[in-house]
Amino acid sequence: MRSVGRWEAWSGRLALLAGLAIASVAQAANDPLDSTGGNEPIKAHFDSLTHQTRVSGKVAPDLCFSFTLPDEWRLTEAGLKAIVTNADLTVGLRSAQELRDMPQSDLATRDAAVLQQDYEQLLGRPAQSVSLSSDAGATRWSATWIDASLPSASHAMTVETLIVPLSSEWVLELSLSGVDTQEAYNGFAQHLLARLKVQGRPACRS
């Protein structure tokens, strides 16, 4: 039987995550990408003609990335927020240096292992299920916790992050919340990954 102290701690941690989509994703474990290795903030520009938002960021002088999102999104302290829906996108970076102590064979799976550790420390218990899959050049990490105090009918919460290797030194973490269904999330992920570009020094100058 759980002690009262452990149960209250667990309930408090759950309250922090109660707003996350049950069937889809949560914010990345790292801080949002409000600045990168080159101290360049993430940028977002809405094009009213195409009804798309272009997002770009610089990781280093010779490494930058960009992608487009459907409709209008605006920068927030936590990342990006859609104007016409409740969706939020957190954009994070993690360096190979941060992942050097992990035993996995590649950066993406090392990053997934660190995400797993971060969430398990936050929630105070291991996930009941964890999965890794490939998705258009990205690794999709997801983990599910089940507890009777969760507000969903299934009493389950699943968090998910798309991990994209940008180089041998950096991975990009993309985490979406506020999406109603797994089908909607899958469509959004496919749209984003199809439009994600990783660029070198000439493009990073613009």
Side-chain angles (χ1 to χ4, degrees):
M1 182 174 180
R2 293 188 184 92
S3 68
V4 173
R6 284 187 64 190
W7 176 247
E8 288 179 347
W10 171 235
S11 298
R13 294 185 184 105
L14 288 176
L16 292 173
L17 297 174
L20 298 177
I22 296 302
S24 54
V25 296
Q27 290 184 343
N30 330 1
D31 293 332
L33 182 59
D34 53 3
S35 63
T36 61
N39 295 317
E40 293 278 346
I42 188 173
K43 298 177 182 178
H45 173 72
F46 174 63
D47 188 331
S48 58
L49 294 178
T50 62
H51 291 279
Q52 293 185 338
T53 299
R54 184 178 185 274
V55 180
S56 61
K58 184 183 290 187
V59 184
D62 59 351
L63 182 63
C64 56
F65 64 89
S66 64
F67 54 85
T68 60
L69 302 172
D71 301 313
E72 184 175 3
W73 293 65
R74 293 179 185 171
L75 291 172
T76 68
E77 290 184 1
L80 293 152
K81 183 170 185 61
I83 300 304
V84 298
T85 69
N86 292 322
D88 293 276
L89 179 68
T90 298
V91 184
L93 282 172
R94 210 185 296 264
S95 69
Q97 182 70 12
E98 293 177 74
L99 303 171
R100 68 186 184 281
D101 295 329
M102 304 305 292
Q104 288 75 14
S105 61
D106 60 84
L107 281 183
T109 53
R110 288 179 207 164
D111 188 63
V114 170
L115 284 170
Q116 184 76 24
Q117 289 181 356
D118 288 344
Y119 273 106
E120 290 184 348
Q121 288 175 4
L122 173 66
L123 296 172
R125 61 178 62 188
Q128 276 83 357
S129 67
V130 181
S131 70
L132 281 176
S133 60
S134 298
D135 191 342
T139 295
R140 184 184 290 198
W141 165 82
S142 66
T144 299
W145 284 260
I146 301 171
D147 192 277
S149 66
L150 285 166
S152 68
S154 64
H155 301 298
M157 179 185 71
T158 298
V159 295
E160 189 163 307
T161 296
L162 294 170
I163 304 168
V164 184
L166 297 178
S167 71
S168 61
E169 295 298 324
W170 292 97
V171 292
L172 179 68
E173 298 174 350
L174 301 168
S175 300
L176 182 69
S177 61
V179 177
D180 294 331
T181 66
Q182 189 67 45
E183 182 180 6
Y185 170 76
N186 290 339
F188 182 93
Q190 290 173 7
H191 174 100
L192 193 161
L193 293 174
R195 290 159 178 79
L196 176 65
K197 296 180 180 179
V198 181
Q199 299 161 311
R201 185 180 296 271
C204 294
R205 292 173 182 168
S206 59

